[in-house]
Amino acid sequence: MKAAILVDTKTIQIQDVDTPSPGPGQMLIKVSYTGICGSDVPRVLDGRVHGFPIVLGHEFSGDVAAVGEGVNPALVGRRVAGIPLEPCFQCENCAQGNYSLCGSYGFIGSRSNGSFAEYVLVNKENVFFVDPSVTALQAAFFEPATVAIHGIELAHVQPGKSAIVLGGGTIGTLLAQALSHYGISTVVITRQHEEDFASNIAAGLTNLVATDHEGWQQQALEQGECVQTGGFDYVFDTAGTPETILDAFTMAAPKATVCFVGTPKRDVCFTSSQWELINRKEMTVTGSWMSYSAPWPGKEWEIASALFANGTLKVVDAMIQSIFPLDQISHAFELFATPGAVKGKLVISSRD
């Protein structure tokens, strides 16, 4: 099979390697699509990996090509979405269903070879069988969708409240779509520039605010019908920048819940007044890490499956900037080296 192997920083080679054979309890997945995650970018451009060589890729879809001993052979041919986390299932956190907090976990595409290849070998616990109505391309978005839903679940969202999503990329878009399932009728989404809203509009989202406009905070409050309360009941930061992290505290209403889904890549500095907002507003602040709960892999995956099937979650063409064939993966990552060049999701196709 062909595999895109990261052999050094900024160096991906397409190599012919042996197709792995599934052992006991394993499945061989013929990969369809893999989304490039923001976490893949520093692995390639900055060499932030556990070791070379490595095949990256964890947001994937495909079909079961072969199974090992102990796995039902009738599953061959079924379409799946990849579940990349490999918890130990033995530690205290795993026993409590907090699989994302496992202290000795594995992870497909960072600690073991992933799906930037024609085939990927996984344990039977690491596939989610998708509804036949869900396309292979949609199934590649299951993992980021579950990340979005995990944040919503951690925030304990109640219907009829107000919500703002800071950052309108892939996870922000999916999170905003999913909030309607939780009874949030009006969701405001921010992006830095107005010209970046095309994908959000195509995805059915209409309450959009550009943060490079003067007075954007007031505009957001007006769109969310939150002028009287001075803030939103739920604030989700999916961008993970120092700027949006500070904005989250400003846009929160008294007694609000703020959930940080995005992971910052730069240091965040608070003034005493900014930090004091947590006290004065008596807000609840939570982080959100990955997308799992008990029973494995969690309600996040079941909810995502149902919402893709009924059309609440949808992946539209405008959300995807480009689909690159596997042998062009280096060109895809080169785009990330130019600030502003990547406006939407980049997807790698392993199909023939």
Side-chain angles (χ1 to χ4, degrees):
M1 71 173 189
K2 293 188 182 301
I5 302 177
L6 184 66
V7 296
D8 203 345
T9 303
K10 298 181 182 178
T11 306
I12 302 176
Q13 296 179 355
I14 304 298
Q15 297 183 10
D16 288 313
V17 299
D18 292 337
T19 303
S21 298
Q26 293 184 318
M27 295 182 176
L28 182 68
I29 307 302
K30 181 175 175 56
V31 179
S32 295
Y33 298 101
T34 304
I36 295 180
C37 176
S39 64
D40 292 321
V41 178
R43 291 172 182 142
V44 173
L45 299 186
D46 303 325
R48 297 181 190 173
V49 296
H50 293 281
F52 298 107
I54 181 72
V55 178
L56 302 176
H58 63 270
E59 298 179 0
F60 66 93
S61 66
D63 301 297
V64 179
V67 299
E69 181 183 350
V71 184
N72 187 352
L75 296 175
V76 172
R78 291 282 302 275
R79 178 171 295 160
V80 300
I83 301 172
L85 182 67
E86 298 174 316
C88 73
F89 293 112
Q90 302 296 322
C91 67
E92 183 176 350
N93 280 318
C94 285
Q96 295 176 356
N98 298 320
Y99 303 111
S100 301
L101 307 183
C102 175
S104 55
Y105 68 88
F107 200 88
I108 297 168
S110 70
R111 301 189 180 210
S112 61
N113 284 334
S115 58
F116 289 144
E118 292 182 310
Y119 293 88
V120 60
L121 186 64
V122 302
N123 296 323
K124 63 181 180 180
E125 294 85 7
N126 290 96
V127 298
F128 187 89
F129 296 99
V130 302
D131 188 274
S133 65
V134 175
T135 68
L137 187 57
Q138 287 174 322
F141 283 76
F142 264 50
E143 196 273 345
T146 61
V147 169
I149 292 169
H150 187 64
I152 297 174
E153 289 287 329
L154 287 173
H156 303 292
V157 168
Q158 299 297 314
K161 301 290 187 177
S162 59
I164 186 170
V165 179
L166 304 175
T170 298
I171 290 178
T173 297
L174 294 169
L175 196 154
Q177 290 177 339
L179 280 169
S180 66
H181 170 72
Y182 292 83
I184 307 296
S185 58
T186 301
V187 181
V188 176
I189 301 176
T190 71
R191 300 195 80 161
Q192 189 172 6
H193 306 295
E194 189 171 348
E195 56 265 29
D196 296 335
F197 284 142
S199 62
N200 306 109
I201 295 170
L205 305 171
T206 56
N207 296 296
L208 309 169
V209 177
T211 59
D212 63 352
H213 288 189
E214 185 176 353
W216 71 266
Q217 296 95 335
Q218 181 65 24
Q219 182 185 351
L221 293 174
E222 291 172 357
Q223 287 196 20
E225 300 179 358
C226 299
V227 174
Q228 188 171 0
T229 60
F232 291 82
D233 299 309
Y234 300 101
V235 182
F236 297 92
D237 171 38
T238 64
T241 69
E243 294 79 13
T244 56
I245 289 170
L246 296 177
D247 288 339
F249 296 126
T250 301
M251 300 309 297
K255 297 290 186 179
T257 297
V258 177
C259 181
F260 290 107
V261 180
T263 304
K265 303 296 190 296
R266 294 180 282 134
D267 290 344
V268 184
C269 299
F270 292 83
T271 65
S272 58
S273 296
Q274 289 168 329
W275 188 261
E276 190 178 331
L277 290 174
I278 301 174
N279 305 96
R280 287 186 174 274
K281 294 184 179 183
E282 294 190 347
M283 66 180 74
T284 299
V285 179
T286 182
S288 181
W289 188 242
M290 294 196 269
S291 58
Y292 305 94
S293 60
W296 174 263
K299 57 183 174 292
E300 296 86 348
W301 293 77
E302 297 294 341
I303 293 170
S305 179
L307 297 187
F308 271 113
N310 69 22
T312 300
L313 288 178
K314 47 186 171 286
V315 177
V316 297
D317 290 344
M319 293 170 61
I320 302 172
Q321 179 170 330
S322 297
I323 299 178
F324 290 84
L326 182 63
D327 60 4
Q328 297 297 310
I329 189 171
S330 291
H331 297 306
F333 277 100
E334 285 170 2
L335 289 177
F336 287 99
T338 302
V342 178
K343 299 292 187 181
K345 192 71 170 178
L346 302 186
V347 178
I348 304 302
S349 172
S350 294
R351 293 187 159 190
D352 297 335

PDB file of all heavy atoms in Angstrom, residues 208-220:
ATOM      1  N   LEU A 208     -23.715  36.228  12.280  1.00  0.00           N
ATOM      2  CA  LEU A 208     -22.268  36.248  12.093  1.00  0.00           C
ATOM      3  C   LEU A 208     -21.721  37.635  12.394  1.00  0.00           C
ATOM      4  O   LEU A 208     -22.271  38.639  11.938  1.00  0.00           O
ATOM      5  CB  LEU A 208     -21.924  35.848  10.654  1.00  0.00           C
ATOM      6  CG  LEU A 208     -22.585  34.549  10.165  1.00  0.00           C
ATOM      7  CD1 LEU A 208     -22.407  34.387   8.667  1.00  0.00           C
ATOM      8  CD2 LEU A 208     -21.995  33.362  10.901  1.00  0.00           C
ATOM      9  N   VAL A 209     -20.613  37.669  13.135  1.00  0.00           N
ATOM     10  CA  VAL A 209     -20.012  38.936  13.525  1.00  0.00           C
ATOM     11  C   VAL A 209     -18.504  38.871  13.280  1.00  0.00           C
ATOM     12  O   VAL A 209     -17.847  37.920  13.713  1.00  0.00           O
ATOM     13  CB  VAL A 209     -20.275  39.241  15.015  1.00  0.00           C
ATOM     14  CG1 VAL A 209     -19.583  40.530  15.431  1.00  0.00           C
ATOM     15  CG2 VAL A 209     -21.781  39.341  15.278  1.00  0.00           C
ATOM     16  N   ALA A 210     -17.981  39.878  12.589  1.00  0.00           N
ATOM     17  CA  ALA A 210     -16.545  39.959  12.316  1.00  0.00           C
ATOM     18  C   ALA A 210     -15.876  40.773  13.410  1.00  0.00           C
ATOM     19  O   ALA A 210     -16.245  41.927  13.662  1.00  0.00           O
ATOM     20  CB  ALA A 210     -16.298  40.592  10.953  1.00  0.00           C
ATOM     21  N   THR A 211     -14.876  40.201  14.056  1.00  0.00           N
ATOM     22  CA  THR A 211     -14.253  40.856  15.200  1.00  0.00           C
ATOM     23  C   THR A 211     -13.265  41.954  14.810  1.00  0.00           C
ATOM     24  O   THR A 211     -12.768  42.661  15.690  1.00  0.00           O
ATOM     25  CB  THR A 211     -13.541  39.829  16.094  1.00  0.00           C
ATOM     26  OG1 THR A 211     -12.543  39.143  15.327  1.00  0.00           O
ATOM     27  CG2 THR A 211     -14.535  38.817  16.654  1.00  0.00           C
ATOM     28  N   ASP A 212     -12.990  42.096  13.519  1.00  0.00           N
ATOM     29  CA  ASP A 212     -12.135  43.217  13.110  1.00  0.00           C
ATOM     30  C   ASP A 212     -12.946  44.485  12.885  1.00  0.00           C
ATOM     31  O   ASP A 212     -12.399  45.524  12.518  1.00  0.00           O
ATOM     32  CB  ASP A 212     -11.304  42.868  11.868  1.00  0.00           C
ATOM     33  CG  ASP A 212     -12.141  42.584  10.627  1.00  0.00           C
ATOM     34  OD1 ASP A 212     -13.387  42.504  10.748  1.00  0.00           O
ATOM     35  OD2 ASP A 212     -11.554  42.439   9.544  1.00  0.00           O
ATOM     36  N   HIS A 213     -14.271  44.421  13.108  1.00  0.00           N
ATOM     37  CA  HIS A 213     -15.131  45.595  13.008  1.00  0.00           C
ATOM     38  C   HIS A 213     -15.229  46.277  14.368  1.00  0.00           C
ATOM     39  O   HIS A 213     -15.405  45.616  15.404  1.00  0.00           O
ATOM     40  CB  HIS A 213     -16.532  45.202  12.543  1.00  0.00           C
ATOM     41  CG  HIS A 213     -16.583  44.807  11.101  1.00  0.00           C
ATOM     42  ND1 HIS A 213     -17.761  44.595  10.425  1.00  0.00           N
ATOM     43  CD2 HIS A 213     -15.598  44.594  10.187  1.00  0.00           C
ATOM     44  CE1 HIS A 213     -17.511  44.254   9.174  1.00  0.00           C
ATOM     45  NE2 HIS A 213     -16.204  44.251   9.014  1.00  0.00           N
ATOM     46  N   GLU A 214     -15.153  47.578  14.373  1.00  0.00           N
ATOM     47  CA  GLU A 214     -15.306  48.321  15.620  1.00  0.00           C
ATOM     48  C   GLU A 214     -16.716  48.118  16.170  1.00  0.00           C
ATOM     49  O   GLU A 214     -17.705  48.149  15.422  1.00  0.00           O
ATOM     50  CB  GLU A 214     -15.036  49.813  15.379  1.00  0.00           C
ATOM     51  CG  GLU A 214     -15.062  50.649  16.633  1.00  0.00           C
ATOM     52  CD  GLU A 214     -14.707  52.102  16.369  1.00  0.00           C
ATOM     53  OE1 GLU A 214     -14.310  52.420  15.223  1.00  0.00           O
ATOM     54  OE2 GLU A 214     -14.826  52.908  17.311  1.00  0.00           O
ATOM     55  N   GLY A 215     -16.809  47.880  17.461  1.00  0.00           N
ATOM     56  CA  GLY A 215     -18.108  47.678  18.073  1.00  0.00           C
ATOM     57  C   GLY A 215     -18.717  46.306  17.852  1.00  0.00           C
ATOM     58  O   GLY A 215     -19.925  46.126  17.997  1.00  0.00           O
ATOM     59  N   TRP A 216     -17.865  45.320  17.531  1.00  0.00           N
ATOM     60  CA  TRP A 216     -18.403  43.993  17.228  1.00  0.00           C
ATOM     61  C   TRP A 216     -19.089  43.367  18.437  1.00  0.00           C
ATOM     62  O   TRP A 216     -20.046  42.599  18.284  1.00  0.00           O
ATOM     63  CB  TRP A 216     -17.308  43.071  16.698  1.00  0.00           C
ATOM     64  CG  TRP A 216     -16.286  42.631  17.718  1.00  0.00           C
ATOM     65  CD1 TRP A 216     -15.082  43.210  17.977  1.00  0.00           C
ATOM     66  CD2 TRP A 216     -16.382  41.509  18.594  1.00  0.00           C
ATOM     67  NE1 TRP A 216     -14.417  42.522  18.962  1.00  0.00           N
ATOM     68  CE2 TRP A 216     -15.182  41.474  19.367  1.00  0.00           C
ATOM     69  CE3 TRP A 216     -17.328  40.515  18.815  1.00  0.00           C
ATOM     70  CZ2 TRP A 216     -14.935  40.499  20.333  1.00  0.00           C
ATOM     71  CZ3 TRP A 216     -17.098  39.546  19.775  1.00  0.00           C
ATOM     72  CH2 TRP A 216     -15.913  39.540  20.522  1.00  0.00           C
ATOM     73  N   GLN A 217     -18.612  43.684  19.636  1.00  0.00           N
ATOM     74  CA  GLN A 217     -19.221  43.098  20.835  1.00  0.00           C
ATOM     75  C   GLN A 217     -20.693  43.500  20.957  1.00  0.00           C
ATOM     76  O   GLN A 217     -21.550  42.661  21.252  1.00  0.00           O
ATOM     77  CB  GLN A 217     -18.452  43.512  22.097  1.00  0.00           C
ATOM     78  CG  GLN A 217     -17.020  43.008  22.151  1.00  0.00           C
ATOM     79  CD  GLN A 217     -16.024  44.022  21.631  1.00  0.00           C
ATOM     80  OE1 GLN A 217     -16.368  44.894  20.816  1.00  0.00           O
ATOM     81  NE2 GLN A 217     -14.780  43.923  22.088  1.00  0.00           N
ATOM     82  N   GLN A 218     -20.969  44.779  20.736  1.00  0.00           N
ATOM     83  CA  GLN A 218     -22.358  45.255  20.804  1.00  0.00           C
ATOM     84  C   GLN A 218     -23.194  44.607  19.711  1.00  0.00           C
ATOM     85  O   GLN A 218     -24.358  44.219  19.937  1.00  0.00           O
ATOM     86  CB  GLN A 218     -22.397  46.777  20.662  1.00  0.00           C
ATOM     87  CG  GLN A 218     -23.792  47.385  20.751  1.00  0.00           C
ATOM     88  CD  GLN A 218     -24.438  47.212  22.113  1.00  0.00           C
ATOM     89  OE1 GLN A 218     -23.741  47.043  23.104  1.00  0.00           O
ATOM     90  NE2 GLN A 218     -25.769  47.243  22.161  1.00  0.00           N
ATOM     91  N   GLN A 219     -22.631  44.470  18.512  1.00  0.00           N
ATOM     92  CA  GLN A 219     -23.344  43.812  17.418  1.00  0.00           C
ATOM     93  C   GLN A 219     -23.690  42.381  17.788  1.00  0.00           C
ATOM     94  O   GLN A 219     -24.800  41.897  17.524  1.00  0.00           O
ATOM     95  CB  GLN A 219     -22.493  43.833  16.147  1.00  0.00           C
ATOM     96  CG  GLN A 219     -23.190  43.217  14.937  1.00  0.00           C
ATOM     97  CD  GLN A 219     -22.275  43.138  13.723  1.00  0.00           C
ATOM     98  OE1 GLN A 219     -21.170  43.689  13.714  1.00  0.00           O
ATOM     99  NE2 GLN A 219     -22.728  42.454  12.688  1.00  0.00           N
ATOM    100  N   ALA A 220     -22.743  41.673  18.419  1.00  0.00           N
ATOM    101  CA  ALA A 220     -23.004  40.292  18.828  1.00  0.00           C
ATOM    102  C   ALA A 220     -24.118  40.225  19.859  1.00  0.00           C
ATOM    103  O   ALA A 220     -25.005  39.360  19.785  1.00  0.00           O
ATOM    104  CB  ALA A 220     -21.721  39.671  19.386  1.00  0.00           C
TER     105      ALA A 220
END
